[in-house]
Amino acid sequence: MRTWVASIALVSCLLTSAAKASALVECVEETSQKQIAVHLDMRNWLVIRDGDLKDLARIVGDDRGFLVAQRVWDLNNITFLDVYTYDTKDLRLNKKTLWLVERKNEVAEFDNMVENYNYDCTQQ
């Protein structure tokens, strides 16, 4: 009997975690009103959908209701870093794009912030 109750409790806990991890939120950018969908998957990825386009950002931190994710990408031999900060309690998403500059005989560093977007999100 104890095994049966423990099994039900474990399955219930896993289902609750899976539902929370796979939650979908719709986000609207404050200035442009551009809409994106954000999905948190169980493999530690933040999935951002903009219409048919899909970006994957690796979650690198989780601190008291804030998720921090990053995505590195290249365009015309320039490396960029997208940093996403997602507030799971207030449902706010911030995206900053940084430009990586490589200096000779020095460690690469981030030079300028190229973009900064703030989104208000709603749970679906």
Side-chain angles (χ1 to χ4, degrees):
M1 182 71 171
R2 285 184 181 169
T3 306
W4 185 73
V5 172
S7 297
I8 290 176
L10 178 62
V11 168
S12 175
C13 182
L14 290 174
L15 289 175
T16 302
S17 297
K20 184 177 180 183
S22 63
L24 179 70
V25 294
E26 294 289 330
C27 302
V28 178
E29 203 275 323
E30 290 176 345
T31 307
S32 69
Q33 299 300 305
K34 178 180 179 181
Q35 295 183 350
I36 61 171
V38 177
H39 170 80
L40 307 174
D41 78 0
M42 294 182 65
R43 294 181 310 273
N44 215 25
W45 291 95
L46 188 67
V47 181
I48 300 102
R49 291 190 183 272
D50 179 7
D52 292 334
L53 302 175
K54 179 172 90 171
D55 287 333
L56 295 174
R58 181 82 171 151
I59 296 172
V60 295
D62 184 356
D63 183 31
R64 297 184 204 125
F66 283 90
L67 294 176
V68 178
Q70 66 183 22
R71 178 177 77 102
V72 178
W73 52 282
D74 295 306
L75 178 65
N76 298 329
N77 296 323
I78 300 172
T79 303
F80 296 91
L81 172 69
D82 289 337
V83 178
Y84 296 90
T85 306
Y86 180 65
D87 183 343
T88 57
K89 293 176 186 165
D90 292 333
L91 299 178
R92 301 262 310 144
L93 177 72
N94 176 267
K95 175 190 172 190
K96 288 182 170 65
T97 300
L98 305 170
W99 176 16
L100 178 65
V101 176
E102 295 185 40
R103 309 233 189 251
K104 290 183 180 179
N105 302 322
E106 293 182 29
V107 176
E109 62 185 46
F110 293 101
D111 188 33
N112 292 320
M113 183 169 55
V114 178
E115 299 173 327
N116 185 24
Y117 296 107
N118 293 302
Y119 295 86
D120 288 315
C121 305
T122 55
Q123 189 82 37
Q124 297 299 309

